[in-house]
Amino acid sequence: MSHSSAFVGLSWSALRSLSPARAPNGPASAILERGGSHETTIGFVPALGRAEIHGHGGSETWLHVIGGEVEEEGWTKSGTDWTYEARILRAGESSTLPLDALHRVRALEDATVLTVYTPAPTVGAERVPWSLMPALRAARWRAGRDGD
């Protein structure tokens, strides 16, 4: 078994049979468990693959890197403005995001990520409206990061 399948107690073929949803830029994820109080997913992100900026609505998010290394960028609302933070997460490390936060994950090397949403989201990843992008770019710039 790979490091990811051993963690969740499933064989690689069992994980593949979950029919993961694959994004055009590389990441794939599948729901492991869904109940009223939470949803647990497993995600596979190839090196340099990344998710687009998105939110999970009224869910808090716990992200745990099972294997590999990712950069997680997060945006939280602070009054009328957005605050930006980036962090590198390696195998065994976790992060949390509050309700209504936005984030994206980019794999610095092939990565496997376990994510728990509380409560279970009514919709999967919620795309960020283009009209919000200038405010998010400004938050990155204020934090000393430029570019996309």
Side-chain angles (χ1 to χ4, degrees), residues 3-138:
H3 53 79
S4 60
S5 56
F7 179 81
V8 295
L10 298 171
S11 68
W12 178 248
S13 59
L15 287 175
R16 289 174 52 101
S17 73
L18 295 171
S19 302
R22 184 168 302 281
N25 50 356
S29 65
I31 297 172
L32 292 175
E33 180 183 24
R34 182 174 173 80
S37 64
H38 71 280
E39 177 179 286
T40 304
T41 66
I42 190 159
F44 310 96
V45 189
L48 303 181
R50 75 172 188 184
E52 296 301 321
I53 300 170
H54 63 281
H56 298 284
S59 299
E60 292 180 340
T61 304
W62 177 73
L63 183 138
H64 180 78
V65 178
I66 297 170
E69 183 176 64
V70 301
E71 175 186 44
E72 181 185 37
E73 295 179 281
W75 290 263
T76 53
K77 191 79 167 181
S78 178
T80 59
D81 220 346
W82 289 89
T83 301
Y84 170 85
E85 181 181 0
R87 58 190 149 266
I88 304 296
L89 299 169
R90 294 172 181 82
E93 297 180 335
S94 303
S95 73
T96 58
L97 289 167
L99 297 173
D100 299 321
L102 304 173
H103 75 141
R104 72 175 162 193
V105 174
R106 178 175 63 100
L108 302 175
E109 59 185 58
D110 288 349
T112 304
V113 178
L114 186 74
T115 309
V116 178
Y117 307 99
T118 306
T122 55
V123 177
E126 298 173 342
R127 296 193 68 145
V128 173
W130 283 106
S131 60
L132 187 54
M133 295 306 289
L136 300 181
R137 278 192 213 99

